[in-house]
Amino acid sequence: MSQNRFLQDWALPALIGLAMAALLLVIFPQLRGVNPKPFQEDWQGPVSYAQAVNMAGPAVVNIYTRMALPQRQHPLFNDPLFRRLFDNMNVPQRERMQSNLGSGVIVSDNGYILTNHHVVDQADAIVILLADGREAQARMVGSDADFDLAVLKIELDGLTSISVGEPEAAQVGDVVLAIGNPFGVGQTVTQGIISAKGRHLENSGTGSHLQNFLQTDAAVNPGNSGGALVDSRGRLLGINTSILNQSGYSGGISFAIPANIAFKVMQDIIAYGRVVPGWLGIEASAISPQMAKEFNLASTGGVMITAIYNESPAHNAGLKPGDVITHIDGLPIGDGKQGEATMATLRPGDTISITFTREGASHTVEATVSVKPDTTTPAE
């Protein structure tokens, strides 16, 4: 047999076979009796959020309200002659009852409950259904339409209040749970993430004073309003308030009032019967790219003071029109919305630090927050 014939018929196919076998052993190491090392992940997320639900769930309540509305009458009731006749006959005005539903959060062991103003607005009767099946009539302590928050009180023993987290420290991407009473089906939990922070919505219909919402994609539907948005440990981050979808059903974008703001509003309502916002005594505007260029500013972060009121905290601290406030208590205020949120959590008498730039130099001063007086005069 010639050498060429040997190579062609035996050696070359054998070499090809050996090469393929070696390749298969590399790709599939189990073929050679070696188990591959399992993939190791540095991040270890929970496989269940049951513990968080068990922590927060008992503090979330269902709210049912009833409101008496005038019954639509026969057109003859609008006729003066017949109206006088009906009045002489003492014909009573007929009423119909309208029911509404929502959710709330027990925030203290002595029975204070936070919910939305629009859930209980003008209600004649408010019934609270606890997670353990008990019912109680709630008393309205007070509410604020601008913040869309209301405070209720129930008289029951053995209540479980919710633990409070740190919404200002929450990050986009954090896992959150929405707990409430959607469509009146009973306590329901949905899961998502924080999609954005510091959202401000025009014409949202959920209050106008401050809208520094936490945005989430956790499913929120009618009946969830006033319920809890909690972190993966069951700690309260916010009060679920509104959805973006105009159909009234969850579209993957919903909003919650941060818990720190909600608690400040609640404490004001309990102590004073109304919200007492902190006041610095300035008027300011967001900084556009054109303004940043014109005034030689490094960025558009912060707000420019356009007016300062006489004897106001800002005036007494030495601030002037043209100064650009960048931080309050060390926290950046962005385009001003974060600054509003910071002020909303402050009480008159609190001392804060204000960082600002003037003629390219950075300065920090302290100011004592006060209540806005009935009359104010801009400083010259």
Side-chain angles (χ1 to χ4, degrees), residues 105-148:
V105 184
I106 300 174
V107 293
S108 70
D109 294 339
N110 60 348
Y112 283 108
I113 294 174
L114 266 174
T115 186
N116 286 140
H117 167 83
H118 74 263
V119 169
V120 296
D121 185 29
Q122 300 182 9
D124 296 307
I126 305 172
V127 177
I128 304 298
L129 176 62
L130 275 66
D132 60 13
R134 290 184 291 170
E135 290 187 7
Q137 292 281 339
R139 173 175 63 88
M140 171 73 78
V141 178
S143 67
D144 188 279
D146 287 336
F147 283 94
D148 194 21

Side-chain angles (χ1 to χ4, degrees), residues 163-235:
S163 298
V164 183
E166 300 179 348
E168 63 274 17
Q171 301 181 63
V172 174
D174 284 354
V175 172
V176 289
L177 308 172
I179 308 177
N181 179 28
F183 303 110
V185 300
Q187 189 174 104
T188 302
V189 182
T190 56
Q191 180 260 337
I193 63 169
I194 292 180
S195 307
K197 296 177 62 177
R199 286 297 196 212
H200 178 79
L201 308 177
E202 298 294 338
N203 304 318
S204 68
T206 58
S208 59
H209 185 78
L210 178 73
Q211 296 176 1
N212 192 55
F213 294 125
L214 296 171
Q215 179 184 322
T216 175
D217 65 346
V220 171
N221 287 291
N224 273 107
S225 292
L229 184 73
V230 303
D231 62 19
S232 59
R233 298 181 181 178
R235 302 175 302 182

